[in-house]
Amino acid sequence: MLPKAMTTIAQTDRLTIRSWIPEEDAESAFQIYSDPEVTRFIKTKTTSTEDAIKLLQRWVILSTQLNGGGFWAVVSKATPEILGTIILIPLRDEAEQWTQDYEIGWHLKKSAWGNGYATEAARAILNYGFNILKLPTIYSVARPENTTSIRVMQRLNMIPIGRTHKYYKMELEMFKLGKLT
């Protein structure tokens, strides 16, 4: 059973970070996850609005199981448009099992690129992860060729810890940030 109410997780000057509402948000999710440029470095892809509904339903259910973590919509306050997704979830190991290590990540639609939204949303979710969830360390991973996401990690003052093959069955650049870092 999916929760009906929308939950706001965090707000910034320009953004609201909230739970997804599958039926209402499916078209926006489809636009994001059907764009090959957006999905170039990620596994998440959709081929129809119905596919997007199923994706969002999965994310809402998973979010209820993650002890406060989740997959959330990033919404512009200026134009109630969905700009993308921000996640705070446990990393998955080679066997696709959740680990104890939480990662932050973001996927934005192409028209939202280059406006600082990923950094702004990530700062809000890092604050949420450290101060509400009391996580000691939050990681971020990206494919080595995904220089845009790596630059966001650097802007967040995350510390590079090198390449790893430990997660998602691929080589990734890994960064971390601790509450006291």
Side-chain angles (χ1 to χ4, degrees):
M1 182 83 183
L2 295 171
K4 295 277 188 234
M6 175 190 71
T7 303
T8 298
I9 304 302
Q11 293 201 45
T12 69
D13 289 343
R14 301 184 298 163
L15 305 171
T16 298
I17 299 166
R18 65 161 172 83
S19 56
W20 284 98
I21 306 166
E23 288 73 19
E24 292 177 27
D25 298 338
E27 184 57 40
S28 295
F30 171 64
Q31 289 173 8
I32 295 165
Y33 293 105
S34 65
D35 183 335
E37 287 188 72
V38 172
T39 61
R40 183 171 152 211
F41 299 116
I42 61 176
K43 292 180 180 181
T44 304
K45 296 171 180 33
T46 58
T47 56
S48 66
T49 304
E50 295 74 27
D51 198 24
I53 290 171
K54 290 177 188 162
L55 171 70
L56 297 180
Q57 287 172 338
R58 248 188 347 267
W59 283 357
V60 168
I61 290 167
L62 275 172
S63 294
T64 65
Q65 300 167 353
L66 292 177
N67 300 319
F71 300 79
W72 303 298
V74 177
V75 184
S76 167
K77 285 183 174 178
T79 66
E81 152 189 34
I82 295 174
L83 303 174
T85 301
I86 190 145
I87 65 169
L88 184 63
I89 61 171
L91 282 158
R92 290 182 190 234
D93 64 17
E94 298 95 339
E96 297 291 320
Q97 298 301 305
W98 299 113
T99 68
Q100 296 298 315
D101 299 332
Y102 270 72
E103 73 163 314
I104 188 168
W106 43 85
H107 318 136
L108 298 180
K109 67 182 180 179
K110 193 173 173 194
S111 63
W113 293 358
N115 294 297
Y117 296 130
T119 304
E120 186 174 334
R123 281 193 177 115
I125 293 303
L126 286 167
N127 181 56
Y128 170 81
F130 290 131
N131 296 314
I132 304 298
L133 301 184
K134 306 295 185 199
L135 297 172
T137 305
I138 298 174
Y139 297 90
S140 194
V141 293
R143 291 189 183 182
E145 62 273 22
N146 188 350
T147 55
T148 304
S149 280
I150 291 169
R151 280 196 302 274
V152 172
M153 294 172 204
Q154 292 166 337
R155 277 195 293 279
L156 295 168
N157 296 318
M158 297 187 90
I159 299 163
I161 54 178
R163 292 197 179 175
T164 181
H165 291 86
K166 196 172 164 183
Y167 307 103
Y168 299 111
K169 299 180 183 175
M170 65 180 76
E171 182 178 61
L172 298 164
E173 288 287 345
M174 190 166 195
F175 286 70
K176 74 175 182 175
L177 189 65
K179 185 168 182 3
L180 302 174
T181 307

